[in-house]
Amino acid sequence: MTAGTVRPSIAVLERQLTLYRRLWRASVFSSFVLPVLFVISIGIGVGGYVGSVKGVDYLSWIVPGVVASTAFQMALGESTYPVLGDFKWSRAFHAMRATPVQPNHILTGHLLYLLFRVTTAVLAFLLVVLFFGALRSPWAVTVPLVCALLTVATAAPVSAFAASIDSDSHFTLLFRFVMIPASLFSGVFFPIEQLPGLIRPVAYVSPLWHAVELCRSATLGTAPPWPVAAHVGCLLVWAVAGTLLAARRFRRRLED
Amino acid sequence: MIFARGLVKRFGDFTAVNGIDVEVAPGEAFGFLGPNGAGKSSTMRMISCVSAPTSGELRILGMDPVRDGTRIRARLGVCPQLDNLDPDLTVRENLTTYARYFGLSRVEGRRRADELLDFVQLSDRAGSMVEPLSGGMKRRLTIARSMINEPDIVLLDEPTTGLDPQARHLLWERLFRLKQRGTTLVLTTHYMDEAEQLCDRLVVMDGGKIVAEGSPRSLIETYSTAEVVELRFPDGLDLNADYAAKMSGIGERVDPLPDRVLLYADDGDAALTEVHQRGLTPSSVLIRRSTLEDVFLHLTGRTLVD
Ligand SMILES: Nc1ncnc2c1ncn2[C@@H]1O[C@H](COP(=O)(O)OP(=O)(O)O)[C@@H](O)[C@H]1O
Ligand SMILES: [Mg+2]
């Protein structure tokens, strides 16, 4: 990014943060309280029956899954209605377009905003689970980085989708056929080896699975199923391809 | 400030703007007058550098909108036909966030926001959300927002459409002040009174083409008469054409409309006397000055607002 790109993108980020100042109390529940409650109830409750997975107590095992899955859901959710809304309902993106702000700055500002949202939520969550003894390796400090990469890998293609549709009814498809399967089959709650061979490729293409495995290897200090570079590579492909596609879609949508 | 030659905008096979020539000088208040669908907004979007011309030449502030779009936009103020304010921000935040898009410092943004809120008489609503504002207030806020970068040209697409008369007059008065400050204004409208009030010079647009150009006064002088006699007949409707035929030769021109007959004459009273002499007895008569509406009717055979 050149200096000429940074300033307008920051201006877009500031607008998002100004909006967020009004909403943050409501979002604390879904992005922080809920995942913590989740880990406590599932980790301790279900964990009491399950015992351990691959020699690790269940709570410690699902913590990295829940943290990545929270990042995934925030990145996805915040790139659906809010993005379509700024194109279609408030037309705030069109308002920006009439200034020196360009479509790629709008996209960058949106992604920076989500990085901020996800990173703060992830850090708060990690701090809490630290006291549960769920972080077993100093590599846990890389979790926010993995979640940041996952955020772009998810938000960019979903934003491209939101910029391409005209009716919010398409999001139902996205939630039903992308978000739910990805959340269920990406190794968040159980290892994907438990999945029938036919469904396992869902995990391989899902950015969430790669992020879950990277986070898990970081908090537990174990090796991930694939080489780290392969997991990071898959996330990068989603992030880069998604960003390029979204940049095109944003430009298309704002020119007429 | 603005220079266009043979400017064309097509959407698929549909030609919305069909080869127009426009020139706007600094400090001028320039208008595009035309009915819905004339191609006014399409032209304005090209001038705002958010929509690329299909063909033709366009220079804004001496620059090319395709190559220098960002630099041009930095010096324009745009008030689009549909308000696109941020509904979840306050009135003041709408201005301060917009200031940042132009690279203004926060301090400067706040200073200009307060000044502009004062200018559009919204200071007492600064902390209010946008949603509960009336249409006229939103429009004034959009205009204030378009001025946050102290633009060289302010582009207003139908600034008062949909507003009640009181809100329109308040807005006109603000725009008039803006004009007095020497800001170049370019506006579109389908209200002839708005064009007459605000524009030094205007073009009449219809079907993507410019059909006439000049000051409101010169357009009226060229294409109409000083006065117009509006005649309504009790059994009008189908018979207006017949009545018009019976009046032929009186004044300059006779135009039968569905609900009335327009008689164009420099001396309305004299023309009316002649009408009575021919034994015609209209149920109501109105003698008025010619307006741009008459110019448009004469040029296109249709009324501006239907
Ligand atoms: N994005 C677009 N795609 C297709 N047709 C369009 C588009 N924008 C405008 N038009 C058409 O171009 C014509 C001129 O529209 P517009 O410039 O909005 O006119 P005006 O502002 O004078 O009412 C209309 O018939 C309109 O339907
Ligand atoms: Mg229009």
Side-chain angles (χ1 to χ4, degrees):
Chain A
M1 284 202 287
T2 63
T5 308
V6 174
R7 207 163 61 174
S9 305
I10 297 290
V12 176
L13 168 67
E14 282 178 26
R15 177 249 180 188
Q16 307 287 44
L17 292 175
T18 310
L19 286 170
Y20 181 59
R21 274 222 311 254
R22 295 232 157 69
L23 304 169
W24 73 272
R25 279 180 204 86
S27 81
V28 163
F29 183 76
S30 63
S31 56
F32 174 67
V33 177
L34 202 62
V36 167
L37 289 177
F38 208 83
V39 163
I40 294 173
S41 64
I42 303 275
I44 297 176
V46 177
Y49 291 96
V50 178
S52 60
V53 179
K54 294 179 175 175
V56 181
D57 69 281
Y58 190 59
L59 183 122
S60 302
W61 195 85
I62 64 159
V63 155
V66 171
V67 77
S69 157
T70 303
F72 176 74
Q73 288 184 22
M74 279 173 79
L76 188 142
E78 290 289 330
S79 300
T80 53
Y81 293 93
V83 171
L84 179 63
D86 282 342
F87 277 119
K88 190 178 157 73
W89 299 308
S90 79
R91 295 176 66 81
F93 288 166
H94 291 82
M96 295 177 190
R97 176 70 179 117
T99 74
V101 173
Q102 294 167 17
N104 60 332
H105 303 141
I106 299 175
L107 176 63
T108 310
H110 170 65
L111 293 176
L112 287 174
Y113 167 65
L114 290 185
L115 287 172
F116 165 79
R117 288 283 309 276
V118 167
T119 306
T120 48
V122 165
L123 288 174
F125 181 85
L126 288 178
L127 199 66
V128 171
V129 295
L130 184 64
F131 293 105
F132 283 87
L135 307 181
R136 302 175 156 207
S137 152
W139 281 105
V141 297
T142 62
V143 167
L145 289 178
V146 174
C147 289
L149 183 54
L150 172 66
T151 300
V152 179
T154 308
V158 174
S159 300
F161 178 72
S164 312
I165 58 175
D166 212 46
S167 151
D168 59 355
S169 61
H170 293 87
F171 289 138
T172 316
L173 300 176
L174 184 76
F175 293 133
R176 208 169 285 167
F177 296 107
V178 177
M179 190 175 95
I180 294 176
S183 302
L184 289 177
F185 305 138
S186 291
V188 175
F189 305 107
F190 55 87
I192 63 157
E193 293 90 75
Q194 306 284 325
L195 289 172
L198 217 60
I199 302 186
R200 225 171 288 160
V202 173
Y204 298 151
V205 295
S206 158
L208 178 56
W209 178 66
H210 299 285
V212 167
E213 294 298 354
L214 287 172
C215 288
R216 187 164 286 140
S217 74
T219 61
L220 300 181
T222 54
W226 292 6
V228 170
H231 287 303
V232 172
C234 288
L235 286 168
L236 276 175
V237 167
W238 273 107
V240 172
T243 303
L244 291 176
L245 184 65
R248 255 177 63 149
R249 293 297 177 173
F250 273 49
R251 203 173 315 121
R252 219 24 105 62
R253 183 94 180 215
L254 292 175
E255 77 184 10
D256 51 358
Chain B
M1 304 294 268
I2 299 172
F3 175 89
R5 276 286 167 279
L7 190 62
V8 172
K9 181 73 194 184
R10 267 190 217 103
F11 299 104
D13 337 325
F14 181 78
T15 306
V17 179
N18 195 357
I20 61 169
D21 300 340
V22 176
E23 240 170 289
V24 180
E28 198 172 23
F30 184 87
F32 291 90
L33 175 68
N36 273 328
K40 304 181 299 295
S41 295
S42 304
T43 305
M44 288 296 254
R45 284 202 302 268
M46 288 191 277
I47 296 173
S48 331
C49 306
V50 295
S51 150
T54 310
S55 67
E57 191 184 345
L58 181 61
R59 318 270 312 159
I60 315 286
L61 300 165
M63 293 180 274
D64 171 6
V66 176
R67 226 190 32 235
D68 305 312
T70 306
R71 278 171 60 205
I72 300 172
R73 282 194 298 271
R75 294 170 54 190
L76 298 181
V78 178
C79 180
Q81 184 168 350
L82 298 173
D83 283 324
N84 52 21
L85 297 163
D86 242 316
D88 300 320
L89 293 178
T90 65
V91 165
R92 193 161 179 265
E93 284 167 348
N94 259 282
L95 300 182
T96 51
T97 52
Y98 217 69
R100 300 289 290 156
Y101 300 153
F102 288 94
L104 298 173
S105 73
R106 278 184 206 89
V107 175
E108 182 63 11
R110 281 196 291 268
R111 191 187 67 75
R112 290 193 193 179
D114 291 338
E115 203 178 282
L116 287 168
L117 285 179
D118 194 42
F119 177 67
V120 296
Q121 298 169 327
L122 282 174
S123 298
D124 53 333
R125 304 301 296 263
S128 151
M129 291 307 234
V130 165
E131 218 29 72
L133 297 186
S134 71
M137 289 176 172
K138 284 185 190 166
R139 215 62 193 137
R140 263 145 54 204
L141 180 57
T142 307
I143 289 170
R145 192 183 68 174
S146 76
M147 291 164 58
I148 198 87
N149 57 329
E150 297 179 342
D152 295 332
I153 309 175
V154 176
L155 303 165
L156 302 140
D157 197 354
E158 308 219 3
T160 67
T161 298
L163 302 187
D164 59 66
Q166 204 185 339
R168 288 178 75 194
H169 282 282
L170 180 57
L171 227 140
W172 283 349
E173 191 257 328
R174 293 292 108 180
L175 291 177
F176 192 74
R177 288 205 182 194
L178 196 58
K179 184 176 141 179
Q180 279 179 321
R181 289 184 188 175
T183 310
T184 307
L185 295 184
V186 177
L187 63 102
T188 76
T189 182
H190 62 256
Y191 297 120
M192 49 94 190
D193 47 349
E194 184 160 275
E196 279 176 45
Q197 287 262 346
L198 294 174
C199 299
D200 301 322
R201 203 160 59 84
L202 57 96
V203 290
V204 180
M205 247 184 126
D206 188 39
K209 288 201 153 95
I210 289 176
V211 291
E213 174 184 346
S215 66
R217 176 181 292 262
S218 76
L219 282 169
I220 291 168
E221 280 169 5
T222 312
Y223 297 101
S224 193
T225 49
E227 294 190 325
V228 183
V229 187
E230 295 199 8
L231 305 135
R232 286 169 204 267
F233 291 91
D235 46 2
L237 299 179
D238 320 321
L239 294 177
N240 276 346
D242 297 345
Y243 286 121
K246 288 184 190 150
M247 287 180 234
S248 76
I250 307 178
E252 302 245 322
R253 206 172 76 245
V254 186
D255 243 329
L257 296 184
D259 59 333
R260 60 196 195 274
V261 178
L262 300 183
L263 179 57
Y264 292 89
D266 286 323
D267 182 345
D269 288 313
L272 184 60
T273 311
E274 270 195 72
V275 169
H276 285 135
Q277 279 168 357
R278 293 194 185 181
L280 298 171
T281 50
S283 55
S284 80
V285 173
L286 172 72
I287 300 177
R288 58 168 173 82
R289 285 176 50 231
S290 259
T291 66
L292 287 171
E293 181 83 43
D294 301 303
V295 172
F296 188 80
L297 183 68
H298 175 57
L299 289 167
T300 67
R302 288 180 293 111
T303 50
L304 266 171
V305 190
D306 34 35

